[in-house]
Amino acid sequence: MAGRENPAGEIDTSKPHSARMYDYYLGGKTHYEIDATSAEQVLTVWPGVRAWARANRSFMHRTTRWLAAEAGIRQFLDIGTGIPTEPNLHQIAQEAVPEARVVYVDNDPIVLNYAGALLTGTPEGRTTYLHGDVTDPRTILDAPQLRHTLDLGEPVALSLNALLHFVPDDRRPYELVARLMADLPRGSYLALTHGMPESNPETRDAVTRLYRSSGIYVTGRNREQITAFFDGLELVEPGVVRADRWRPEREPELETLALAGGVARKG
């Protein structure tokens, strides 16, 4: 998601893409041989990545359901959407609130090709997709598709799941999040997950090398660094925790999980 290597519509199949590798981990079919090869290399050194991906997806389902059903949110901005894998965010939100409106954003052209799957919602609600990049928040917030779908005078839930660990420090990820939240009104929410360093240093280093050698920057940040993305916001209980322990609906699948998540409100 971070980085804009190709204009919309042009799919580069010569190198892997993080969203397509994520699709492979989830058992999807919307990827290319280069993505599968790179993902298998990661699986060789980190077999737990499939459970990691499932935990991230489950976090999105639970937080979206909570935001729509309990926090009263009717508008969602999902940046780093990834390849459609049902149920998608709008399906979760509109199941709880049929009139919910959702804007999806991603920079992988293959997501654009499958955007139709993201645009079938309830008659009462509205969904749209725009090709954009989190490192250029102004073009997202000023996009006609967003302005025609969301009312930025009313609360919005900003979803940044499994995205910011692909944004290096020199791209100022904390400022990017702050800029996005600055345009959203009081009562809006930020929901995000972020990879943490693997407890095994050899695994951590091997995974990092594999991604970076494929041209995909990735870095884990510790809990304190992840919590800093919520500075100035009011964290929702239980705060920033392992993603599978944020209001879980079942017992955690793993003893360890290198993924943290949280939800916070703009007061």
Side-chain angles (χ1 to χ4, degrees):
M1 176 64 203
R4 187 174 299 182
E5 299 170 353
N6 302 297
E10 295 184 14
I11 300 173
D12 186 352
T13 61
S14 67
K15 54 188 177 182
H17 191 286
S18 57
R20 301 195 301 261
M21 291 174 66
Y22 181 66
D23 174 74
Y24 184 87
Y25 299 143
L26 289 172
K29 298 180 180 179
T30 313
H31 52 262
Y32 297 98
E33 183 177 353
I34 187 67
D35 306 304
T37 299
S38 296
E40 280 293 339
Q41 290 174 341
V42 173
L43 280 161
T44 298
V45 299
W46 184 27
V49 68
R50 289 194 189 275
W52 186 100
R54 290 194 298 270
N56 181 72
R57 193 75 185 166
S58 178
F59 175 91
M60 183 274 285
H61 293 164
R62 296 194 312 278
T63 55
T64 300
R65 193 175 298 114
W66 182 86
L67 286 162
E70 299 189 40
I73 294 297
R74 302 293 182 265
Q75 304 187 109
F76 295 80
L77 173 57
D78 181 19
I79 303 177
T81 301
I83 294 154
T85 304
E86 292 191 340
N88 295 299
L89 187 148
H90 75 279
Q91 293 167 313
I92 299 291
Q94 292 176 353
E95 181 180 8
V97 183
E99 67 270 25
R101 297 186 171 200
V102 179
V103 172
Y104 290 109
V105 183
D106 205 283
N107 75 342
D108 183 4
I110 199 171
V111 181
L112 178 63
N113 289 357
Y114 284 85
L118 296 169
L119 305 182
T120 303
T122 60
E124 304 94 327
R126 185 183 300 177
T127 62
T128 194
Y129 173 83
L130 67 94
H131 191 83
D133 196 293
V134 71
T135 61
D136 192 358
R138 195 71 264 153
T139 60
I140 294 173
L141 293 165
D142 292 341
Q145 301 100 308
L146 184 144
R147 296 284 173 165
H148 292 159
T149 304
L150 304 183
D151 177 359
L152 296 188
E154 297 294 329
V156 176
L158 172 63
S159 175
L160 302 174
N161 288 318
L163 171 64
L164 294 168
H165 46 246
F166 295 118
V167 181
D169 289 337
D170 63 8
R171 300 303 295 270
R172 302 182 182 276
Y174 297 99
E175 291 184 18
L176 294 173
V177 174
R179 281 184 223 159
L180 288 164
M181 290 301 298
D183 266 36
L184 304 183
R186 292 172 62 119
S188 293
Y189 284 83
L190 170 64
L192 67 80
T193 57
H194 193 298
M196 294 192 294
E198 262 290 320
S199 55
N200 184 323
E202 292 182 2
T203 300
R204 176 195 64 209
D205 294 344
V207 171
T208 301
R209 281 196 304 271
L210 284 169
Y211 268 93
R212 293 187 183 181
S213 67
S214 299
I216 302 171
Y217 179 89
V218 67
T219 186
R221 295 185 172 99
N222 62 34
R223 195 183 307 272
E224 181 179 348
Q225 292 169 320
I226 297 169
T227 302
F229 284 109
F230 296 99
D231 283 355
L233 306 176
E234 303 166 359
L235 278 167
V236 174
E237 290 294 334
V240 177
V241 295
R242 263 183 46 168
D244 56 342
R245 292 177 175 166
W246 197 93
R247 305 194 177 203
E249 297 169 350
R250 60 180 61 88
E251 286 297 313
E253 187 173 345
L254 295 174
E255 290 186 9
T256 61
L257 181 70
L259 182 71
V263 177
R265 182 178 183 273
K266 182 175 180 179

